């Protein structure tokens, strides 16, 4: 069984994008459990561009026929790993993407639904990452930049049924990585620590994503998970 | 012309809910411009309860037949006035509501859409509040507690067409108010200011909501507003 | 009786400095109580410059012979009014001041003490501002930029005894003001509200400073105030 | 040559104190460079109590006769490793310590100076930790709880000259560790990420402290380090 997991290239003057750096560190094979065995992890960097990112992911899905697709992106300022619950049908960029394109209030797919929910077991992922000692939480917004754009597309691919081999798809945001805040977002205000963004080591991020892959392969536990919006 | 604007009662051990406090301070009549004249502002406090809040709003809509409905709620931790862009079809509470009810991962309306977009001119509201010197921004999540629940319902009321007099509806979140952070969320960590939530004076909040009412009555400018996700 | 209260001019590309804007709004006379009567408030803008700021304040002290000196400065990122407890004998700037001067690890006064404590009743000020519904807290660092420099000098003036009419002196930091965050520090990251600095209305700041002036004139209550580091 | 490095036990209902957890992970010997060779690292947990902590450290200094003393403490809410610049002569606790003692506005040492500066090369430590890819910054306040108390005492020990073998002493604050925020400071507000404290992995913290030990042994570079208050 194959799991496709993507990360983005750097954007907006940052020298690194932790999403692909963490994906890159994943092993090529991950053992899930005795019943489900081992899965192959396909790791790909995709461009932070509205007009090519989703196409690249679609081509990879056609090529590899993965059972699950997990796209990963950077959410600078968050302090933990945050699986996204929902993607909305809206491109609305406050900065240009890496191709210089900046859509404002454009629908992503003209006849798509207003939004799609992730088919990944988001709460189960959060519960297991937390158990292993790393900060994680369910997020209710993937924004309206390229992350949400790609998530909307992979959820649409799943719901549209064009790829019958695709069992689940969704998106996970990761924080800045540690050396990135030092280099690209240094402290500037000694009077207030509020400006210093939280960060996470790439090792922890990658360990968290490995846990996510296992939970995605195991699928929904079937039980509704107590813990509410944030568990 | 009538505008219905609601705020919530206090919840989760807080002694005050700034949303209704700010609504209460609004004048009964607001002059919009020479063409549109003056609107009547109907101000009501609604309960922070899943099972009654939306019903109360629906009854108020039937009773007053307002042209516009703006529901206002508290988003503790935000630093400005934030019109919400979208409400999702999901109740998922991390704490019980004021009736002791705590739904987990329940759809709000069984045959409703996955989400509805606000029909308020959210960017225009943000632009005008900002111009007048108060912090404001478009938000992409109203959470999954009672705020999102009520927003989903008022957007559904508009889209369903049952109330033909209803021209637009949506939701605006406000920060903690100043005396609330002092009383209910005091500083506790002198080593880091990160724990001290931002707040806003009720006077400023109310002035911001008055601007929002004017923009709602004027309606969409028709122009797509530059500024992206955040303007 | 005269109280000298100063604010700074804008620095570091900001279009406004809330410290002087709030000082400017103070009345020229403040009634304290029947016993102490009314005090005259001398309000002056001073330059955000290491080499002139303290000299300007010293000249003002010689000229007006105030009983109390309160210098006010901007602490962008803080969410409340914060009287400073201590000034250290160190200039260490991460950006140039308004004269282009940027000292690194320089003592302020060669034979001065390592630090001076404020002689203002900092906890009493915090208690009264809080009571009146505005966020306030005692701060343990005024940084190492021009604010700390000026505070060190006014505390030295008091301790050195050269100005026998000077009963107390110290420093109060204020947050960004509301229109400033909109114009100079706009939100840029819809995925995380952490980047949006808290702010306060100039009306609230100025009301807080008026309370501070009253408490400074009344002086220490004589009782040790419970509440610890933060009260 | 010996370096004494201490961490605190847990306090204020937390199940863990990252300061000692990170210290515990340090190797027993650290190679500095060819010239200075290898140092022995004495790692001790001390109580979070005003009345015993400093005595315990003093006894350890007498016993081991270390060339350098580095005390480490938790600064919940900070996002990086922060060597402290200064300790002030003031105990002022907002919560009781682990012995139930809560001093308010008490001097630490009656005839001590108002404050002592760290004799550790704080900027050099920050520069090297940052270079190795972890967030770090110089802090200008160690608060007024047990951390500042212990730092004041170890700086006093150095300055008083009673322990002639003692070359430098000071204090370093570390953030919450990752599993701690999950267990003791979980997210509670999905509308705002501001409440979720940043954290760091114990591996990174410990690696940062090892770097600090090397820089402390190498001592001041002699050059004034550019970079201002925060480098």
């Amino acid at each position: 069984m194959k799991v496709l997991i993507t990360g983005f290239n750097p954007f907006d003057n940052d020298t690194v994008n932790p999403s692909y750096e963490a994906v890159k560190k994943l092993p090529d094979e991950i053992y899930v459990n005795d019943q489900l065995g081992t899965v192959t992890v396909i790791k790909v960097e995709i461009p932070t561009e509205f007009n090519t990112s989703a196409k690249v992911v679609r081509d990879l899905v056609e090529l590899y026929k993965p059972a699950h697709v997990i796209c990963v992106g950077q959410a600078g300022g968050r302090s933990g790993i945050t699986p996204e619950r929902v993607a909305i049908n809206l491109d609305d960029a406050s900065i240009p993407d890496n191709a210089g394109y900046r859509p404002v209030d454009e629908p992503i797919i003209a006849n798509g639904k207003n939004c799609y929910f992730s088919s990944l077991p988001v709460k189960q992922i959060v519960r297991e990452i937390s158990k292993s000692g790393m900060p994680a939480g369910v997020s209710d917004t993937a924004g309206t930049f390229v992350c949400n754009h790609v998530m909307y597309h992979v959820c649409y691919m799943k719901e549209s049924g064009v790829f019958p081999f695709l069992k689940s798809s969704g998106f996970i945001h990761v924080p800045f990585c540690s050396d990135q805040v030092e280099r690209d977002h240094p402290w500037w205000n000694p009077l207030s620590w509020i400006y210093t963004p939280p960060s996470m080591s790439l090792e922890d991020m990658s360990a968290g994503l490995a846990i996510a892959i296992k939970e995605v392969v195991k699928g929904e536990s079937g039980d509704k998970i107590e813990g509410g919006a944030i568990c």
Side-chain angles (χ1 to χ4, degrees), chain A:
Chain A
M1 182 188 277
K2 285 177 199 150
V3 175
L4 172 64
I5 185 162
T6 67
F8 286 102
N9 64 1
F11 66 102
D12 194 23
N13 301 319
D14 273 34
T15 56
V16 73
N17 189 318
S19 63
Y20 184 61
E21 297 304 315
V23 162
K24 202 166 63 180
K25 281 181 179 293
L26 285 166
D28 295 324
E29 306 262 293
I30 289 182
Y31 170 79
V32 179
N33 60 28
D34 282 359
Q35 225 180 330
L36 294 161
T38 293
V39 293
T40 302
V41 183
I42 318 280
K43 302 167 279 183
V44 186
E45 188 182 50
I46 62 173
T48 305
E49 298 178 9
F50 284 97
N51 287 326
T52 52
S53 53
K55 277 181 205 146
V56 169
V57 176
R58 195 184 174 97
D59 289 350
L60 292 163
V61 171
E62 281 179 343
L63 178 65
Y64 291 108
K65 300 188 173 35
H68 307 281
V69 179
I70 305 170
C71 297
V72 184
Q74 162 191 306
R78 291 195 184 163
S79 31
I81 297 173
T82 50
E84 294 294 342
R85 182 134 48 182
V86 64
I88 62 176
N89 193 5
L90 191 76
D91 284 343
D92 192 20
S94 52
I95 53 166
D97 70 10
N98 283 353
Y101 176 57
R102 186 174 155 235
V104 174
D105 287 344
E106 302 285 352
I108 297 173
I109 295 180
N111 61 343
K113 289 189 178 174
N114 283 352
C115 75
Y116 291 108
F117 288 103
S118 175
S119 46
L120 307 180
V122 291
K123 285 190 174 176
Q124 185 62 21
I125 293 170
V126 166
R127 186 156 71 172
E128 294 303 315
I129 295 178
S130 296
K131 257 194 215 163
S132 87
M134 285 171 296
V138 173
S139 165
D140 297 321
T141 177
T144 56
F145 195 54
V146 183
C147 289
N148 174 73
H149 180 90
V150 165
M151 178 175 173
Y152 187 87
H153 269 285
V154 297
C155 292
Y156 177 84
M157 285 178 213
K158 162 77 179 70
E159 290 234 348
S160 64
V162 244
F163 303 117
F165 49 81
L166 191 57
K167 290 185 191 164
S168 75
S169 60
F171 199 95
I172 298 178
H173 265 119
V174 292
F176 285 137
C177 60
S178 308
D179 63 314
Q180 183 183 17
V181 297
E182 274 305 310
R183 201 173 43 244
D184 299 332
H185 305 272
W187 347 79
W188 65 270
N189 192 331
L191 290 173
S192 165
W193 292 92
I194 209 168
Y195 290 97
T196 312
S199 64
M200 189 179 261
S201 72
L202 287 174
E203 288 69 27
D204 276 7
M205 263 184 223
S206 200
L209 293 178
I211 290 170
I213 289 173
K214 284 184 202 175
E215 294 310 313
V216 164
V217 172
K218 287 194 247 168
E220 287 288 357
S221 67
D223 307 319
K224 201 179 288 181
I225 295 179
E226 284 291 327
I230 293 300
C231 64

